[in-house]
Amino acid sequence: SGIKEPTDINALCDEYLRLAYHGMRAKDKSFNAKTETSFDTSIGKVNVIPQEIGRVLINLLNNAFYAVNEKAKLAPTSYEPRVTVRTRKVGNRNEIQVEDNGNGIPKEILAKIFQPFFTTKPTGQGSGLGLSLAYDIIKTHGGEIKAGSNGTEGSEFVICLPV
């Protein structure tokens, strides 16, 4: 509807984590990853457009599952793909963290990932618009989205939304 409404962010994160995971499994039956959650119950309901925040979450989670799957193809058998979603209340903002233990994002690329049409995926597998749209959606909600990676071992995206 495009209208902000009180939304249970923890339930939204949990729902989209499962949706992204099963979507990946539907595309690739051999795909497997451990999913972990840590939800701060003190957050309560947050005034957001749930469909829009859902779009951001599905994009971040699809990227995370893609990253761990790509690493799993090249890594030794001891590698255990993992995607974690956390929520927490920090002062006057709520944070949603999406973390993976994939290959990470090289420093020279990290500065470009929110630019429209920027992608590292092979032709036909990514439009380069997902993170750009996520950035715009979070900005319209009065929040911010940050990405972090040491360049070789996993990445983390943090969404900060005002209380």
Side-chain angles (χ1 to χ4, degrees):
S1 64
I3 297 169
K4 287 185 179 180
E5 56 188 75
T7 304
D8 182 339
I9 290 293
N10 293 334
L12 200 67
C13 288
D14 195 47
E15 177 185 349
Y16 280 97
L17 176 62
R18 281 190 265 176
L19 190 65
Y21 179 77
H22 291 296
M24 189 73 168
R25 295 248 328 145
K27 282 186 221 158
D28 179 357
K29 297 283 183 232
S30 68
F31 174 76
N32 209 348
K34 183 176 183 183
T35 59
E36 297 175 347
T37 59
S38 174
F39 296 140
D40 182 344
T41 54
S42 73
I43 287 179
K45 295 197 181 240
V46 181
N47 214 27
V48 296
I49 303 169
Q51 301 86 346
E52 294 291 299
I53 299 301
R55 284 175 75 185
V56 172
L57 289 170
I58 200 81
N59 182 271
L60 294 178
L61 291 162
N62 283 342
N63 287 351
F65 286 127
Y66 177 86
V68 298
N69 195 34
E70 288 300 299
K71 184 170 183 173
K73 290 175 185 173
L74 308 168
T77 52
S78 61
Y79 171 69
E80 184 182 24
R82 185 183 74 259
V83 173
T84 306
V85 179
R86 293 183 195 88
T87 61
R88 65 184 191 151
K89 189 173 198 160
V90 183
N92 64 344
R93 66 181 197 213
N94 295 305
E95 288 186 356
I96 302 169
Q97 297 173 307
V98 175
E99 183 183 304
D100 69 67
N101 68 341
N103 287 320
I105 305 167
K107 278 196 185 345
E108 62 276 7
I109 291 176
L110 203 53
K112 302 176 189 174
I113 61 172
F114 293 111
Q115 294 173 5
F117 304 110
F118 181 82
T119 184
T120 59
K121 293 179 182 169
T123 306
Q125 287 194 30
S127 65
L129 290 174
L131 289 175
S132 171
L133 286 171
Y135 180 88
D136 291 344
I137 288 168
I138 297 304
K139 282 290 179 201
T140 3
H141 278 80
E144 63 177 330
I145 182 170
K146 298 179 270 188
S149 178
N150 69 9
T152 57
E153 187 66 35
S155 11
E156 178 188 59
F157 285 81
V158 180
I159 299 166
C160 300
L161 295 168
V163 172

